[in-house]
Amino acid sequence: MKTSTEKQLFNYALSNKKIISFALICLIVAVSLELTGPFIAKTVIDHHIVGIETEWAQLPSDQDGAVSYQQKYFKRADRVTDQDQVVAYYTLIQSERNYYFIEGQLPLNSEVELNQDQQLSVTVNGQSEIISGNPLTTDDLYQFFQPEVTPIMRLIAIYLGLIIIAAFFQYFKTYLLQVHANKIIQQMRQDVFKKIETLPMQYFVDRPAGKILARITNDTEAIKELYVKVLETFINGFIYMIGIFIALYLLNPTLASVCLILIPLLFLWMKFYKKYAGHYNRLIRSVNSDINGSINESIQTMPIIQAFRQTKGRQTEFEQLNGRHFHYQKKMIALSALTSYNLVTVLRSIAFIGFIWFFGNGVLTVEGFISTGVLYAFADYLTRLFEPMSQIVNQLPQLEQARASAERVFELLNAEGESIGDHNLDPVKGKVEFDDVSFAYEKENYILNHVSFLATPGQTVAFVGHTGSGKSSIMNLLFRFYDPQKGKIKIDGVDTSTLDRQQLRQQIGIVLQDPFIFSGTIISNITLNDENISREQAIAALKAVGADQFIEKLPKQYDQPVIENGNAFSTGQRQLLSFARALAFDPAVLILDEATANIDSETERLIQQAMSVLAKGRTMLIIAHRLSTIQHADQIMVLEKGHIIERGTHDQLVEQDGNYYQMYKMQQDSVTEKIIS
């Protein structure tokens, strides 16, 4: 059953549950500590700043926490422990911008003012009366506020300490999540590269190298942003929102319940965004791969492009791809612009309108009085609620980009690869047999038809024929780059389809027409860093093919640095290195795929000398273009349209006066013409 992209991303995210769990614990602790701020502010406002507007008890003498006013001592009534000591009660009340100290007990929402006779008048529920009391000056008010300074400073110090502790937990959370995110991408890239090495050749035939490269680099980089930035933002956001809703419920369950409607609205918008943004992002990533493929192809074929004056054509093709990329990006920008600002702004405005209406319509009555501290705390939490919402919404474009990239990466990871055995095959003698083999790259379009031959250990078998006759397909089948639709291929009598591909390839060496030289040194190109091949063996292989003649003239000889593809060497020199590489691995079967087609006569002579030595006791299969290089072969197979039409030694085929003789005669005439000219 196919696993969804989201589930595969989730499985990677949980690759180290201990780190994730510890990071989440750090986050929860940090959020909890940070969200104490509004509650502390509420306490400071209600109990210490606005809290002085309350009933005060007159005491007979001074005591801890008492305030001296007009040579009398007063203490907040809620802090008096011995009610028997109370002489009288007073009320400190604010009316408009003035403060009054009134004898007796009054409701805090009473209206107090000085009348024309400079007497204090109080209005309660529409009823006015003259009361006894005094307006307070700023200095007087400070006297009543002074006992609150110490607890306020204490609460501020506590909050500052909590913030510092929260900062440490935030650091550990961020560090752990970031390290884990980069570890995920490291593992994903390793998995992708490992998968690529197991994919069958057909996978690479159907897809340009640039597109595959884009999946390993660009797409995994987009997924990295998912784990590094998006995932942390979403986790932070949701934990913060949960913490804020808990705080809102502690303050006012009714309004907190109303605010819950924001969650389904956010979820519905994310579903809407996913539908349209996901489509555009898939198109963008696809076009981006096409751009990578075009650039890769242009760089590799730049000599041909310039030689045939195709620079304008390639530029036009690139501009078309770039234009498509811009077109879809513009659509994404329009969708993101609608999301990132408008959505959160509208929701925030609606929430604050509801907040104002709720607190201004019925809750400010005597029965439902809400303190200033609660108002402040609720407004603070409501403001904080939209910060993670805004961050989450702003990360939606990156989330969809990552999802589109993940689909492409997991499409590669989920592709069926070839199994790689971890145990070696016993050395083989080198008996190669094709038994009525037929093969087609596509459906019924057979490249090989009923091919049968036997190469015994120590024999040299050559295959010749015109382009498209099926010569290279025989080698592809022997290496199990592909498997035949019909017939069997055997090594020492064992059907190769029953062996792991890597087990089989350990016994076979190959030299291609166009050799590839890796970055490194000459020695590393021969050993390929295989611990089973010593430096001495590598040097011996190089000397066997005659490569020592040019290597020992180099400044560092066998340790000479080599750039990618060995561009500092001639074609013949690179071919000698490739030939030595195959010999160093000492295969039971050695394949030369037109290995002498692109080299000069002098280099060909060196390889011929090496081949005569190395062919002893080793099965050698040669795909030949130059017939002069295979005249010593024990068998020569002539192919035409996938059939073996002639077979025998060089002399036997020349005597038959058939296709082989015609090819041989044409090459001889060509050589004669060159000599004469």
Side-chain angles (χ1 to χ4, degrees):
M1 185 175 68
K2 184 179 179 181
T3 306
S4 67
T5 300
E6 289 82 359
K7 186 173 181 180
Q8 288 179 289
L9 287 170
F10 185 72
N11 290 337
Y12 268 101
L14 293 182
S15 58
N16 194 323
K17 295 180 181 178
K18 291 183 179 179
I19 290 181
I20 288 290
S21 300
F22 188 68
L24 288 178
I25 291 172
C26 290
L27 176 59
I28 292 171
V29 172
V31 169
S32 301
L33 294 176
E34 288 182 24
L35 292 181
T36 59
F39 270 99
I40 292 176
K42 169 184 171 295
T43 302
V44 170
I45 292 170
D46 284 346
H47 294 275
H48 301 290
I49 297 178
V50 181
I52 64 173
E53 300 175 39
T54 186
E55 293 181 359
W56 289 77
Q58 181 184 346
L59 303 175
S61 60
D62 189 13
Q63 61 178 252
D64 185 37
V67 175
S68 176
Y69 175 67
Q70 293 184 345
Q71 298 181 353
K72 296 178 182 178
Y73 299 101
F74 299 91
K75 191 173 184 178
R76 284 174 53 168
D78 57 348
R79 296 177 181 172
V80 175
T81 57
D82 188 357
Q83 298 295 326
D84 294 336
Q85 294 186 359
V86 176
V87 176
Y89 285 100
Y90 288 76
T91 303
L92 197 159
I93 190 170
Q94 179 185 12
S95 183
E96 295 183 351
R97 300 184 64 180
N98 299 312
Y99 289 87
Y100 303 92
F101 197 61
I102 308 299
E103 186 176 347
Q105 297 173 315
L106 292 176
L108 293 178
N109 61 342
S110 303
E111 295 181 9
V112 180
E113 62 181 353
L114 283 171
N115 59 21
Q116 295 179 350
D117 299 328
Q118 296 300 306
Q119 294 177 316
L120 287 176
S121 172
V122 62
T123 302
V124 181
N125 297 327
Q127 300 294 323
S128 298
E129 62 176 302
I130 302 300
I131 57 174
S132 177
N134 299 302
L136 296 175
T137 65
T138 302
D139 291 339
D140 294 335
L141 187 63
Y142 180 74
Q143 292 296 323
F144 286 93
F145 184 74
Q146 194 171 17
E148 312 301 326
V149 173
T150 300
I152 288 175
M153 296 303 295
R154 186 184 301 116
L155 288 172
I156 291 175
I158 290 172
Y159 182 54
L160 181 61
L162 294 177
I163 290 297
I164 293 173
I165 296 172
F168 279 103
F169 280 99
Q170 281 283 13
Y171 167 78
F172 286 119
K173 177 269 302 180
T174 302
Y175 176 79
L176 291 173
L177 287 181
Q178 293 284 324
V179 170
H180 181 55
N182 282 276
K183 187 69 176 178
I184 290 172
I185 297 303
Q186 180 191 32
Q187 184 60 51
M188 184 177 290
R189 283 176 174 158
Q190 288 176 347
D191 292 344
V192 171
F193 192 80
K194 185 177 180 180
K195 169 61 72 170
I196 285 176
E197 292 184 312
T198 68
L199 292 174
M201 288 298 107
Q202 190 63 43
Y203 188 91
F204 300 98
V205 171
D206 295 339
R207 294 166 181 82
K211 286 193 173 185
I212 299 175
L213 179 65
R215 298 191 183 194
I216 303 175
T217 55
N218 296 358
D219 287 330
T220 54
E221 190 65 26
I223 299 173
K224 176 185 176 182
E225 290 301 308
L226 167 69
Y227 289 116
V228 171
K229 186 182 296 182
V230 179
L231 183 63
E232 182 181 4
T233 299
F234 272 67
I235 293 175
N236 275 358
F238 284 121
I239 296 295
Y240 264 97
M241 290 172 69
I242 291 171
I244 290 170
F245 272 108
I246 292 173
L248 291 177
Y249 268 100
L250 293 175
L251 288 172
N252 192 300
T254 303
L255 190 54
S257 299
V258 174
C259 291
L260 278 177
I261 196 173
L262 297 173
I263 301 302
L265 288 176
L266 179 63
F267 178 75
L268 289 174
W269 179 258
M270 290 175 66
K271 293 287 289 184
F272 168 81
Y273 188 88
K274 176 182 176 181
K275 177 180 178 181
Y276 290 96
H279 171 69
Y280 291 137
N281 271 304
R282 280 189 290 271
L283 293 172
I284 289 170
R285 303 312 298 180
S286 177
V287 174
N288 192 59
S289 289
D290 292 337
I291 290 175
N292 274 277
S294 177
I295 294 173
N296 183 67
E297 185 178 85
S298 296
I299 292 174
Q300 290 185 345
T301 60
M302 191 56 67
I304 303 298
I305 292 173
Q306 293 181 352
F308 285 88
R309 302 177 302 282
Q310 293 299 307
T311 52
K312 288 186 177 180
R314 297 295 296 184
Q315 183 176 351
T316 301
E317 179 184 331
F318 182 81
E319 287 175 354
Q320 290 174 348
L321 290 172
N322 206 20
R324 287 177 57 199
H325 189 271
F326 173 73
H327 173 71
Y328 294 126
Q329 282 283 19
K330 190 167 63 173
K331 290 183 177 294
M332 275 296 304
I333 290 170
L335 187 60
S336 298
L338 175 65
T339 302
S340 59
Y341 177 77
N342 291 331
L343 174 68
V344 177
T345 302
V346 169
L347 290 178
R348 181 188 289 113
S349 300
I350 292 173
F352 273 98
I353 289 172
F355 168 76
I356 294 170
W357 175 85
F358 182 81
F359 282 104
N361 187 37
V363 281
L364 296 182
T365 63
V366 176
E367 295 79 10
F369 182 77
I370 299 296
S371 70
T372 305
V374 172
L375 284 171
Y376 171 82
F378 211 100
D380 193 346
Y381 281 127
L382 202 57
T383 302
R384 294 184 184 216
L385 177 63
F386 285 95
E387 291 179 7
M389 285 185 65
S390 179
Q391 292 171 358
I392 289 173
V393 169
N394 288 337
Q395 288 299 322
L396 288 178
Q398 192 67 52
L399 172 63
E400 292 307 316
Q401 288 180 25
R403 285 184 67 257
S405 295
E407 287 181 4
R408 293 161 48 78
V409 172
F410 289 132
E411 185 271 332
L412 188 154
L413 283 173
N414 296 333
E416 187 176 353
E418 301 173 346
S419 61
I420 299 178
D422 57 358
H423 56 281
N424 297 328
L425 185 68
D426 293 334
V428 300
K429 296 179 179 179
K431 178 183 177 183
V432 178
E433 182 181 1
F434 273 54
D435 183 8
D436 196 28
V437 171
S438 296
F439 168 67
Y441 290 102
E442 296 181 359
K443 297 181 179 180
E444 299 298 320
N445 185 21
Y446 282 94
I447 303 299
L448 296 177
N449 293 277
H450 306 289
V451 172
S452 297
F453 67 86
L454 175 65
T456 58
Q459 273 194 335
T460 297
V461 179
F463 300 88
V464 299
H466 298 294
T467 301
S469 60
K471 304 185 299 296
S472 294
S473 296
I474 290 177
M475 303 311 164
N476 287 336
L477 292 177
L478 184 57
F479 258 99
R480 286 201 70 192
F481 291 147
Y482 302 91
D483 286 323
Q485 283 80 11
K486 301 176 183 177
K488 293 182 180 180
I489 302 173
K490 301 177 182 179
I491 297 286
D492 287 0
V494 179
D495 189 346
T496 57
S497 63
T498 63
L499 302 173
D500 287 335
R501 286 173 167 81
Q502 296 303 314
Q503 289 179 318
L504 174 65
R505 292 165 188 167
Q506 287 175 352
Q507 310 297 325
I508 305 174
I510 189 169
V511 179
L512 299 172
Q513 177 180 351
D514 187 16
F516 189 88
I517 306 301
F518 298 92
S519 300
T521 64
I522 291 178
I523 286 293
S524 68
N525 263 279
I526 305 306
T527 64
L528 297 182
N529 298 317
D530 190 324
E531 296 178 354
N532 296 320
I533 300 177
S534 66
R535 178 184 177 88
E536 291 71 24
Q537 289 175 306
I539 293 175
L542 288 165
K543 290 182 177 181
V545 301
D548 57 318
Q549 295 184 19
F550 77 88
I551 291 175
E552 293 183 355
K553 296 178 182 178
L554 299 173
K556 295 185 178 180
Q557 298 188 351
Y558 297 98
D559 295 310
Q560 180 73 18
V562 180
I563 62 176
E564 182 182 350
N565 208 23
N567 291 330
F569 299 128
S570 68
T571 301
Q573 289 172 335
R574 283 188 283 120
Q575 191 63 279
L576 287 174
L577 295 177
S578 179
F579 200 88
R581 178 193 299 158
L583 298 180
F585 280 82
D586 192 25
V589 179
L590 181 61
I591 297 174
L592 306 183
D593 188 355
E594 307 234 23
T596 59
N598 296 327
I599 58 178
D600 55 75
S601 300
E602 179 64 21
T603 305
E604 180 183 342
R605 182 183 61 80
L606 292 174
I607 291 180
Q608 289 285 6
Q609 292 174 353
M611 286 171 59
S612 62
V613 175
L614 297 167
K616 296 179 180 179
R618 178 179 287 106
T619 304
M620 187 174 292
L621 306 179
I622 304 174
I623 296 175
H625 174 71
R626 294 183 183 180
L627 301 185
S628 59
T629 63
I630 59 168
Q631 293 180 16
H632 66 285
D634 299 299
Q635 292 187 72
I636 299 175
M637 311 284 178
V638 183
L639 286 92
E640 184 176 292
K641 296 181 179 180
H643 296 274
I644 297 178
I645 58 174
E646 296 177 9
R647 68 178 74 198
T649 63
H650 171 75
D651 294 335
Q652 290 171 343
L653 293 174
V654 169
E655 290 178 3
Q656 291 179 16
D657 195 14
N659 286 48
Y660 178 84
Y661 176 70
Q662 295 300 321
M663 288 188 287
Y664 177 69
K665 185 178 179 182
M666 289 176 62
Q667 289 191 10
Q668 288 297 104
D669 292 343
S670 176
V671 172
T672 303
E673 289 177 4
K674 287 182 180 179
I675 294 174
I676 294 174
S677 62

